[in-house]
Amino acid sequence: MATDNRINFWRRNAKVPGSIQPVYGAQHPPLDPRLRRTFPKDTPKPNFNNLKSKKASSFHEFARSTNDAWDIDDEEDEDFLSAPVYPSSLPTGLHSSSTQHQSSQQHQRQAGEPETRMADRLAPPRAEGHDLQEVQEEEEETECGQVNGRVVKSNSEAHLNTSSVRSTLQKQQSLPVRPIIPLVARISDQNASGAPPMTVREKSRLDKFKQLLASPNTDLEELRKHSWSGIPREVRPITWRLLSGYLPANMERRELVLKRKREEYFGFIEQYYNSRTDEHYKDTYRQIHIDIPRTNPLIPLFQQPTVQEVFERILFIWAIRHPASGYVQGINDLVTPFFVVFLSEFVKEDMENFEVAALPLDTQRNIEADSFWCMSKLLDGIQDNYTFAQPGIQNKVKALEELVSRIDEDIHGHFKKYEVEYLQFAFRWMNNLLMRELPLRCTIRLWDTYQAEAEGFSHFHLYVCAAFLIEWRKEILSMVDFQGLLMLLQNLPTIHWGNEEVGLLLAEAYRLKYMFADAPNHYKR
């Protein structure tokens, strides 16, 4: 009786494992579902190892006689060999699976299937994962066959999760428009090594910067004007030093100022750093010591002991010299852009993995001192963000709420409807200057403009936050619960952002500033 049921099962099910079927996303273009049918009754069916007439006497014979939709190419076989499997379920003849698959393709074309066009083969694999999922859903009930009274799972079911992950990675690595940035955010911007050759316009801009910087007295207003739309990587370090107020515009005085300020910083180290274990300062140092490893944890550069020691010294000395605020969590993030930019003078590529300890000691000390002074200049303009109760941040979040209520009533009403407070997501935007929301390369590009603005960090940042919020309008309005809204706002998908997206964000922020900055009552109800 069991044998009869088994034979009837194969007769009832047209989609026998190994039969010729349109395979979505394998080595075929997506086919029209209407073409998906069995062979006509008057057409003789190909003989696939005599599946109907000859029963498989073992799992190995069954595996050899079947050809699975998921066995795409040799890489699949290699991955399968490396995967942990039980000895009883390891099929033989793995090396012949790709040959069998090609043979099946030939049978398919002989049976009247349309020829695959080259354009379809080269179609972007964006739909591959989706199509494979369709096959999975449509065939999951027929994935299992019975051999000798036992239920046997096919290779596709055994590798379902692995294949899905692989197809997703292939999709991410093969987009035709622009290269996908890996999860570990690249620090380098689009002018870094490995990028396409510099365009005529970029070269012209770089020449203009070099001309301005080479003049005996740099015109800072002209330098700001050119820096607003981004600073070329080659001249960014010297430009940041000038725009932050760390270096004087007069070229003759720069070397003397650099030498004096660097010596002054290491004088602070000798004077104060040993006091980090004192009772009065040990809590400050302990908090800094805890926060440093959390700074950009996905980038190996910032996990090096040498780099972490540099950050500890910078933050501790700053806290000692600014007792009104002391160290506040979030300030540790503000060191990283300066450190990376000044390091870029000596590292041209693969900065994420560069071993800082390999640099000469004097170079390391100069990078550390310059990072300290430029960060101090930045914080001098926004110190009320970090004093007791952080009144600067409170005021900026309130101003953001009033601004959004005027420029997009739908978003503002949506937040009210689901009881989302601006402080719950915008506090971090103000405290960390969007550094937790954007990849580091985007932050560096953003700070080009902030330093070109008269009050970039303290005033223009408000309009950037408003533009940033409106950027996600569609996603925000699609969320219909409190938890979903907060999860979205605290994990916005910006990992693939680059200079282009930041440029559009800044343009929208400038438009908002132009409309509202000189008329503060305009956005107050």
Side-chain angles (χ1 to χ4, degrees):
M1 187 65 183
T3 304
D4 295 338
N5 289 338
R6 222 167 31 242
I7 294 173
N8 291 332
F9 170 81
W10 296 115
R11 285 177 177 170
R12 287 196 308 271
N13 289 270
K15 293 188 289 186
V16 178
S19 62
I20 297 298
Q21 297 289 336
V23 179
Y24 282 72
Q27 290 184 343
H28 301 275
L31 299 178
D32 189 341
R34 291 173 295 182
L35 298 176
R36 185 167 187 162
R37 58 184 183 273
T38 57
F39 296 101
K41 291 184 178 180
D42 56 347
T43 303
K45 298 183 180 180
N47 184 6
F48 294 103
N49 294 333
N50 298 320
L51 273 181
K52 291 187 65 176
S53 60
K54 180 183 177 182
K55 292 191 295 182
S57 60
S58 69
F59 176 75
H60 300 300
E61 279 192 32
F62 177 76
R64 281 197 297 268
S65 67
T66 58
N67 188 26
D68 204 274
W70 303 91
D71 297 333
I72 296 174
D73 52 27
D74 293 335
E75 291 181 4
E76 300 283 343
D77 299 335
E78 293 170 3
D79 293 334
F80 185 79
L81 286 171
S82 63
V85 292
Y86 294 103
S88 61
S89 63
L90 181 63
T92 60
L94 287 174
H95 295 290
S96 64
S97 63
S98 60
T99 306
Q100 291 177 1
H101 191 66
Q102 294 171 1
S103 175
S104 299
Q105 289 181 354
Q106 295 175 1
H107 283 298
Q108 185 175 12
R109 287 196 291 267
Q110 292 170 3
E113 290 292 342
E115 288 287 324
T116 302
R117 294 179 301 173
M118 182 62 68
D120 291 331
R121 289 190 181 187
L122 296 178
R126 182 180 296 278
E128 182 176 347
H130 176 68
D131 293 328
L132 289 175
Q133 289 174 4
E134 288 183 356
V135 174
Q136 172 200 339
E137 293 171 359
E138 293 171 3
E139 298 188 356
E140 61 183 356
E141 294 184 357
T142 60
E143 287 278 333
C144 298
Q146 294 183 357
V147 178
N148 295 335
R150 294 183 295 115
V151 176
V152 179
K153 294 186 179 181
S154 69
N155 296 349
S156 62
E157 190 168 353
H159 295 295
L160 185 59
N161 294 332
T162 305
S163 301
S164 300
V165 171
R166 188 178 298 108
S167 65
T168 302
L169 291 176
Q170 289 172 350
K171 176 181 69 174
Q172 290 179 349
Q173 293 170 0
S174 306
L175 288 182
V177 180
R178 54 188 295 182
I180 290 299
I181 299 164
L183 179 62
V184 178
R186 287 190 298 109
I187 295 174
S188 303
D189 64 10
Q190 293 175 3
N191 294 329
S193 175
M198 191 177 295
T199 65
V200 174
R201 180 177 179 275
E202 289 171 341
K203 189 176 187 306
S204 175
R205 292 189 72 246
L206 177 59
D207 291 341
K208 183 62 178 177
F209 271 93
K210 288 181 177 179
Q211 182 182 345
L212 284 169
L213 295 170
S215 62
N217 287 284
T218 302
D219 186 342
L220 293 181
E221 285 304 313
E222 191 70 13
L223 187 62
R224 287 192 179 94
K225 185 188 300 183
H226 285 81
S227 300
W228 204 99
S229 56
I231 303 171
R233 184 178 190 267
E234 294 83 351
V235 295
R236 183 176 277 136
I238 181 66
T239 305
W240 275 28
R241 291 185 184 105
L242 285 165
L243 294 181
S244 65
Y246 174 44
L247 278 187
N250 184 276
M251 181 179 285
E252 293 181 356
R253 295 180 52 222
R254 289 176 192 168
E255 285 300 322
L256 292 174
V257 169
L258 276 178
K259 183 180 179 182
R260 177 172 58 82
K261 299 296 281 185
R262 288 166 178 172
E263 290 176 351
E264 185 179 355
Y265 169 71
F266 283 100
F268 294 153
I269 295 291
E270 294 178 5
Q271 183 177 356
Y272 298 120
Y273 195 60
N274 290 332
S275 65
R276 64 188 184 279
T277 56
D278 293 354
E279 187 69 26
H280 186 64
Y281 298 122
K282 69 177 183 180
D283 288 342
T284 297
Y285 178 74
R286 177 180 172 276
Q287 188 60 57
I288 292 171
H289 191 71
I290 291 172
D291 288 347
I292 293 301
R294 302 172 181 169
T295 305
N296 295 292
L298 297 180
I299 302 178
L301 172 69
F302 298 108
Q303 303 310 308
Q304 298 176 22
T306 302
V307 176
Q308 293 186 354
E309 290 169 7
V310 167
F311 278 42
E312 284 182 2
R313 288 193 292 269
I314 290 174
L315 294 171
F316 184 76
I317 296 302
W318 189 88
I320 292 293
R321 297 188 71 247
H322 297 82
S325 62
Y327 173 74
V328 177
Q329 284 180 298
I331 296 179
N332 56 305
D333 287 326
L334 306 184
V335 185
T336 55
F338 293 113
F339 182 83
V340 167
V341 167
F342 298 143
L343 179 63
S344 69
E345 284 185 287
F346 309 97
V347 184
K348 301 305 179 186
E349 56 186 19
D350 195 25
M351 190 179 297
E352 296 92 337
N353 298 293
F354 181 77
E355 190 67 38
V356 175
L359 289 172
L361 184 59
D362 287 346
T363 300
Q364 295 181 43
R365 288 166 61 89
N366 292 343
I367 293 172
E368 178 178 345
D370 293 355
S371 300
F372 169 81
W373 287 114
C374 287
M375 186 198 74
S376 298
K377 293 287 186 181
L378 184 161
L379 289 171
D380 285 348
I382 56 172
Q383 192 168 353
D384 60 341
N385 285 6
Y386 304 105
T387 54
F388 178 74
Q390 298 180 273
I393 292 179
Q394 303 276 352
N395 293 334
K396 289 183 178 70
V397 171
K398 183 64 178 174
L400 177 65
E401 181 176 0
E402 292 172 346
L403 180 58
V404 173
S405 70
R406 299 300 293 174
I407 63 179
D408 198 319
E409 291 186 2
D410 290 341
I411 288 182
H412 185 69
H414 198 66
F415 286 160
K416 280 199 165 186
K417 179 179 179 180
Y418 294 103
E419 300 180 344
V420 174
E421 298 290 338
Y422 284 78
L423 202 63
Q424 292 168 329
F425 63 89
F427 181 89
R428 189 172 75 180
W429 295 9
M430 304 298 177
N431 189 60
N432 300 84
L433 298 178
L434 287 177
M435 286 196 62
R436 297 289 177 91
E437 280 40 72
L438 298 172
L440 183 53
R441 64 185 174 278
C442 294
T443 298
I444 291 171
R445 166 63 190 91
L446 188 68
W447 284 22
D448 286 347
T449 300
Y450 281 4
Q451 299 201 74
E453 282 279 330
E455 295 179 312
F457 294 99
S458 59
H459 185 61
F460 186 61
H461 180 67
L462 168 66
Y463 300 98
V464 172
C465 288
F468 187 65
L469 183 64
I470 303 305
E471 173 72 20
W472 308 100
R473 185 179 195 277
K474 180 180 177 181
E475 291 81 357
I476 289 170
L477 295 179
S478 68
M479 293 292 173
V480 292
D481 66 297
F482 174 84
Q483 183 177 358
L485 278 167
L486 275 193
M487 289 292 289
L488 171 67
L489 292 166
Q490 293 176 358
N491 299 277
L492 292 166
T494 61
I495 189 64
H496 300 306
W497 274 33
N499 287 0
E500 182 181 348
E501 289 81 2
V502 175
L504 293 172
L505 179 70
L506 289 166
E508 178 63 15
Y510 182 80
R511 186 185 71 84
L512 294 176
K513 179 191 174 188
Y514 185 81
M515 292 174 60
F516 296 104
D518 295 329
N521 290 330
H522 189 185
Y523 63 75
K524 290 183 179 178
R525 291 185 179 276

